[in-house]
Amino acid sequence: MTRTLSLLTPSGRLTLGSYLGALLPMSRRQEDAFYGVSDLHAMTTEHDPRLLRSYADETATLFLAVGLDRATLFRQSHVPAHAQLAYLLECVATTGELNRMIQFKEKGRGVDSTRVSLFTYPALMAADILLYRPEQVPVGADQRQHVELTRDLALRFNRRYGPVFTVPEVVVPEGGTARVMDLLHPDRKMSKSAEAAGSVYLLDPPDVVRRKVSRAVTDSDTGPGAVRRSEAKPGVTNLLDVLEACGGSAEGLDTYGALKRAVTDAVVATLEPIQKRYADLAADPVHVTQVFADGAARCREVTAPVLAAASAAIGL
Ligand code: AMP
């Protein structure tokens, strides 16, 4: 079993998409796993310090609430080696290659007020990965380019300064990545970043889930067999995907009303135990803080030799 690493950015409240696409697979793979709350990444666009802290606390507590109890859990900012190695990698990366990053092009290139950290973000992400020497990095399509860059930087560093980094392989996670779409705009991913009305948050109470699902966009098809997956029916397809991912079955459902009731029941049943554990953990924040402090201590131990080797190789 090879080492695995995954970070979630606390730029908002975690959603059903974060759970089905990231936390659930993480909970099934906890041996030699490092799972982090990437608070530094949440500052590449305008942010409110109080909100950042509250999103980071909520995310950390949810890591435990979904059952991540064997992996090493940490906050990125508690492991200074991340920012330190990022600087060394900025001394290897070029403006040309960072300028070509699709995410930077889409989110900020050419805008005067764009934060420098949005531009250099891929160097920090490369540091996040290379510090832990994972052999494989499972990523969704939107992060593929950044992991390719991580490989390029590692190879270039090794060639110029000596063999410090393990060059990770990019892998598509087993069974692909579940993509949960926004309930009101099924053409885009359910997002935690905005206060999106089409997002179901992991801590939404049952009546809120019911209201959101009942407003989900479907289509005007009312004939027999309307409840089916099809490229032409993105809203219905998404509801069916969510239903099955939450352990429900579409058998015998022939109206959108029945489908939405089944989706609500399945989602509420999935969220209920998580919310219950969350409430217990929120009542004992010292425990959560301790788990993350222990995790960060272990991360500092694991990453120190890599940072030391990189520093020595580059001439510090
Ligand atoms: P992000 O929310 O962009 O920080 O992504 C963190 C992880 O959650 C990544 O592995 C994403 O693929 C996953 N994720 C976030 N939103 C969704 C979604 N709507 N559907 C599936 N996976 C998601």
Side-chain angles (χ1 to χ4, degrees):
M1 185 63 84
T2 56
R3 174 169 293 177
T4 188
L5 170 88
S6 211
L7 300 181
L8 266 73
T9 304
S11 52
R13 310 189 59 210
L14 295 189
T15 68
L16 186 64
S18 320
Y19 178 67
L20 296 174
L23 291 168
L24 184 61
M26 283 155 69
S27 71
R28 294 181 173 141
R29 168 77 171 82
Q30 297 198 49
E31 276 58 56
D32 203 11
F34 289 80
Y35 293 143
V37 178
S38 40
D39 43 9
L40 300 177
H41 289 305
M43 303 195 299
T44 54
T45 52
E46 203 171 318
H47 78 286
D48 173 335
R50 264 189 317 170
L51 267 183
L52 170 57
R53 197 163 302 122
S54 110
Y55 292 152
D57 287 345
E58 183 178 301
T59 303
T61 309
L62 278 167
F63 272 22
L64 286 171
V66 301
L68 301 182
D69 49 9
R70 283 170 289 131
T72 301
L73 308 183
F74 66 102
R75 290 195 194 201
Q76 186 187 27
S77 63
H78 293 183
V79 187
H82 287 249
Q84 290 169 300
L85 183 64
Y87 181 74
L88 302 191
L89 294 174
E90 282 173 24
C91 298
V92 174
T94 66
T95 54
E97 62 196 348
L98 292 184
N99 243 318
R100 283 193 291 277
M101 294 295 116
I102 295 160
Q103 206 170 326
F104 176 65
K105 283 201 246 180
E106 285 175 353
K107 280 169 77 182
R109 191 165 82 177
V111 180
D112 272 353
S113 58
T114 295
R115 291 186 175 186
V116 175
S117 55
L118 183 69
F119 182 63
T120 56
Y121 159 86
L124 180 56
M125 177 167 161
D128 297 335
I129 295 170
L130 296 176
L131 276 173
Y132 294 84
R133 299 189 194 273
E135 281 162 37
Q136 299 185 329
V137 181
V139 280
D142 52 343
Q143 288 299 330
R144 203 185 164 94
Q145 196 189 22
H146 292 153
V147 184
E148 297 290 354
L149 177 74
T150 302
R151 283 172 54 85
D152 291 345
L153 296 180
L155 285 166
R156 195 177 307 150
F157 189 105
N158 287 350
R159 204 169 51 240
R160 280 192 196 155
Y161 305 117
V164 169
F165 298 120
T166 303
V167 182
E169 199 187 320
V170 185
V171 292
V172 179
E174 276 170 55
T177 36
R179 262 166 75 83
V180 179
M181 310 310 279
D182 186 287
L183 295 181
L184 297 179
H185 304 277
D187 54 327
R188 54 166 111 120
K189 224 172 72 161
M190 184 178 283
S191 142
K192 63 176 150 56
S193 303
E195 276 300 320
S199 288
V200 172
Y201 297 99
L202 288 184
L203 298 178
D204 277 346
D207 56 315
V208 174
V209 174
R210 182 164 300 110
R211 195 181 66 232
K212 286 179 175 175
V213 174
S214 71
R215 290 181 189 160
V217 167
T218 50
D219 50 55
S220 52
D221 186 0
T222 53
V227 179
R228 66 185 152 83
R229 284 187 177 81
S230 152
E231 254 180 60
K233 301 162 76 74
V236 175
T237 301
N238 187 39
L239 288 174
L240 287 166
D241 287 347
V242 168
L243 177 62
E244 284 176 12
C246 289
S249 158
E251 228 179 87
L253 300 178
D254 48 12
T255 66
Y256 292 156
L259 171 63
K260 287 177 171 181
R261 279 190 294 279
V263 169
T264 301
D265 290 346
V267 172
V268 167
T270 299
L271 300 188
E272 193 191 301
I274 298 172
Q275 296 181 354
K276 192 173 171 313
R277 281 196 296 270
Y278 183 92
D280 293 342
L281 290 159
D284 185 10
V286 176
H287 171 68
V288 180
T289 305
Q290 190 57 50
V291 169
F292 276 74
D294 293 347
R298 167 139 169 74
C299 291
R300 286 194 293 270
E301 230 171 73
V302 166
T303 59
V306 182
L307 179 63
S311 301
I314 208 168
L316 297 176

